[in-house]
Amino acid sequence: MAVKRRQPTMADVGALAGVTDRTVSNVLSGKVPVRPGTRDAVLQAVQTLGYQMNPSARSLRTGRTGFLTLALPDLTIDYFAELANAVLNEADRLGWSVTVQQTSTLRERELSLVSGAGRNFSDGLILLPHALDSRDRNLLVTDLPMVLLGERIFDGPVDHVTMSNVKAAQAATDHLLSMGRRRIAAVGPNPADTTTTAATLRLDGYRQALRDAGIDVDPGLIAPAVAWNEAHGVKAVDALVDHGVDFDAIFCFNDSLAFGVLHALRQRGIQVPHQVAVVGFDNVTATAYTSPPLTTIDSGVGVIAQTAVQRLIGRILGTLDGAPEVFVANFSLVRREST
């Protein structure tokens, strides 16, 4: 007859890690401060024993579930997938769990998350809105803590973690200008945008760089992309070439677009970077392995994820108070063989 194995307890974890039950609880609940060495010892003991906290018991004891919700528009986009991974890693490091939801840019899904109806078993929300915008900021006044990502809603009633879209796009365009390129196409604007978005901000940076260089902005060089994926990168190049537009460089508003652009240029027999130089935006992992490797903007996804998680947990635990703040991550240009 098989004997049922006893499930490890918090006391077992503490004994193995050489700490008290309370310290184990503090680590697993995300309470601070806990010394890094102690936290590592506890997490190692958890892994060794296969300990799993009872979420219901934890909720009754602390009033918290230990779960965060991360909501992103489209997890098939490399940047969003890597952002989700970075958020999961940071939350795990701090002893929290994350449920990830895809909004598919649907307004009703974003509203459900903000209202709480779509956030079962969660202490707080990290949201990158796409359908909501600054006109909806009053909807963000809720009981549950929230941190915003992206560019849709500024001056809202919650913490906001974002990136330097304008300056980074300007730096990408300046890099192409420094190479002597003067006919620089911009792939990524969305004609449907009626409010501030990453696309509008990156277009502003592109235009500013050209103006500073004394170059008129040619509308024919601005190639729209309704979706920021490889297929629309291909469509943009096809449209430029088929319409006889003369260009010697392309600034892509994200790396997924750039992957499609590189593919389309190769299919057309256009050499990169000799005939056309290409710059992307986000520095996702695959950029180092394209042919040729892609020059891109590192937008600081790791710092964005860490800051968002830490600020949200701080709001949940009450260790972070005061008025909502906006944090803007630094960026850098990563030069590779596509320029």
Side-chain angles (χ1 to χ4, degrees):
M1 179 177 177
V3 178
K4 186 176 180 180
R5 182 181 177 185
R6 182 178 70 88
Q7 292 296 317
T9 66
M10 192 174 291
D12 296 329
V13 174
L16 182 59
V19 298
T20 65
D21 296 8
R22 181 176 293 277
T23 299
V24 174
S25 177
N26 288 343
V27 170
L28 297 180
S29 66
K31 291 181 179 179
V32 289
V34 176
R35 291 186 303 169
T38 300
R39 181 176 60 244
D40 291 345
V42 170
L43 295 178
Q44 180 60 51
V46 167
Q47 183 176 6
T48 300
L49 296 174
Y51 172 76
Q52 294 182 337
M53 176 176 280
N54 183 322
S56 298
R58 173 180 179 165
S59 181
L60 288 172
R61 185 173 64 255
T62 67
R64 294 187 296 272
T65 67
F67 278 80
L68 311 175
T69 296
L70 170 67
L72 298 172
D74 185 353
L75 290 169
T76 66
I77 300 296
D78 289 343
Y79 172 76
F80 292 142
E82 295 196 7
L83 173 61
N85 183 63
V87 167
L88 288 166
N89 287 339
E90 179 63 11
D92 182 67
R93 187 182 71 84
L94 297 175
W96 289 69
S97 299
V98 180
T99 60
V100 181
Q101 297 202 30
Q102 179 171 277
T103 63
S104 300
T105 72
L106 298 175
R107 180 176 174 83
E108 58 267 28
R109 291 188 183 177
E110 294 180 5
L111 287 173
S112 177
L113 287 161
V114 169
S115 68
R119 275 184 295 153
N120 296 327
F121 202 65
S122 173
D123 296 316
L125 172 66
I126 299 174
L127 171 67
L128 198 159
H130 187 275
L132 302 181
D133 58 37
S134 58
R135 294 166 291 189
D136 301 305
R137 62 169 59 92
N138 63 305
L139 300 177
L140 305 180
V141 181
T142 68
D143 293 335
L144 290 176
M146 187 186 316
V147 172
L148 285 183
L149 305 178
E151 293 73 32
R152 288 277 177 173
I153 304 174
F154 283 97
D155 301 321
V158 297
D159 291 311
H160 187 175
V161 183
T162 186
M163 61 183 68
S164 301
N165 280 289
V166 175
K167 291 182 179 178
Q170 189 171 355
T173 310
D174 283 339
H175 173 60
L176 293 168
L177 290 167
S178 72
M179 300 172 58
R181 308 299 170 112
R182 292 296 180 268
R183 298 283 299 170
I184 303 172
V187 173
N190 187 342
D193 285 338
T194 59
T195 186
T196 300
T197 66
T200 62
L201 294 174
R202 292 175 195 181
L203 184 60
D204 287 345
Y206 162 82
R207 287 172 167 162
Q208 186 61 53
L210 294 179
R211 285 194 293 265
D212 290 347
I215 298 174
D216 293 334
V217 178
D218 182 352
L221 286 168
I222 298 177
V226 176
W228 283 8
N229 56 34
E230 294 84 350
H232 282 83
V234 171
K235 289 181 180 179
V237 170
D238 287 344
L240 289 168
V241 175
D242 291 345
H243 286 88
V245 178
D246 178 32
F247 60 96
D248 57 13
I250 300 178
F251 167 43
C252 303
F253 285 13
N254 82 340
D255 290 333
S256 295
L257 286 168
F259 298 155
V261 163
L262 289 174
H263 174 77
L265 292 173
R266 185 165 54 251
Q267 292 295 105
R268 294 273 186 165
I270 299 173
Q271 296 182 340
V272 178
H274 307 296
Q275 293 173 275
V276 174
V278 180
V279 175
F281 199 113
D282 286 332
N283 193 33
V284 301
T285 302
T287 55
Y289 304 99
T290 54
S291 180
L294 181 67
T295 294
T296 185
I297 293 291
D298 187 324
S299 54
V301 63
V303 173
I304 289 171
Q306 291 169 7
T307 304
V309 170
Q310 291 171 14
R311 295 195 73 83
L312 182 59
I313 291 175
R315 295 295 186 183
I316 292 169
L317 298 179
T319 57
L320 178 65
D321 53 18
E325 297 182 17
V326 176
F327 175 86
V328 182
N330 291 327
F331 68 91
S332 61
L333 177 70
V334 181
R335 301 185 183 188
R336 299 194 182 99
E337 286 86 340
S338 70
T339 60

